[in-house]
Amino acid sequence: MDLSKKNILEKFELFQDQWKPHIIGELNGQQVKLAKLQGAFVWHSHEHEDEYFQVFKGKLFMEFRDRTEVLEEGDMIIVPKGVEHNPFTRADEEVWVLLFEPMSTQHTGEVVHERTHNDQKWI
């Protein structure tokens, strides 16, 4: 177990790829991940897992079938298991998010898409 501190903003500087989460920690069966997002993603849900999103930079739009929540820097949202959602950003803005997800979480649930990345790496 790694007991050293980690600077989240420095970790964000270690990668440039978008829509591909990177793992920075694990606790109680959960993974802590960072991702850079820009543009559209894909509608999906996670049958057995809740997801936590926290915005560090930019503005994230979390689309649900009945509404859209706008998350700005410092905002967070928990998407309950089974709820279909589609995170997206303005095309001209990169957004940095921190995620908490159970280790079993598939990136896009049962949906297979060109942006699906289930082989996520540690940074």
Side-chain angles (χ1 to χ4, degrees):
M1 174 179 252
D2 181 4
L3 296 177
S4 62
K5 72 176 183 175
K6 294 175 177 63
N7 183 293
I8 291 172
L9 296 176
E10 288 176 6
K11 291 288 188 182
F12 273 114
E13 296 297 335
L14 296 177
F15 65 95
Q16 299 306 318
D17 43 349
Q18 296 173 337
W19 299 107
K20 186 174 181 183
H22 296 270
I23 305 164
I24 63 167
E26 288 183 354
L27 68 154
N28 302 318
Q30 300 274 325
Q31 289 182 323
V32 181
K33 302 175 182 180
L34 302 179
K36 292 181 177 180
L37 317 177
Q38 188 169 5
F41 194 50
V42 60
W43 279 100
H44 67 286
S45 64
H46 304 279
E47 185 177 346
H48 303 288
E49 301 97 359
D50 300 330
E51 285 185 291
Y52 171 96
F53 291 78
Q54 182 177 357
V55 176
F56 270 76
K57 176 183 172 187
K59 184 185 293 187
L60 178 68
F61 299 86
M62 185 62 71
E63 189 173 22
F64 299 103
R65 290 297 183 183
D66 64 342
R67 71 184 191 289
T68 300
E69 293 287 338
V70 179
L71 286 79
E72 302 199 39
E73 293 177 17
D75 290 341
M76 56 79 67
I77 193 168
I78 297 172
V79 178
K81 61 186 165 199
V83 173
E84 200 172 16
H85 59 286
N86 182 25
F88 68 95
T89 74
R90 293 189 313 240
D92 64 339
E93 180 179 26
E94 184 173 75
V95 175
W96 295 2
V97 297
L98 179 140
L99 308 159
F100 278 96
E101 302 175 328
M103 287 188 268
S104 62
T105 302
Q106 295 294 304
H107 188 217
T108 53
E110 298 299 316
V111 174
V112 177
H113 186 269
E114 65 185 27
R115 293 191 187 235
T116 301
H117 295 287
N118 288 321
D119 184 26
Q120 298 165 3
K121 306 293 184 203
W122 280 80
I123 57 170

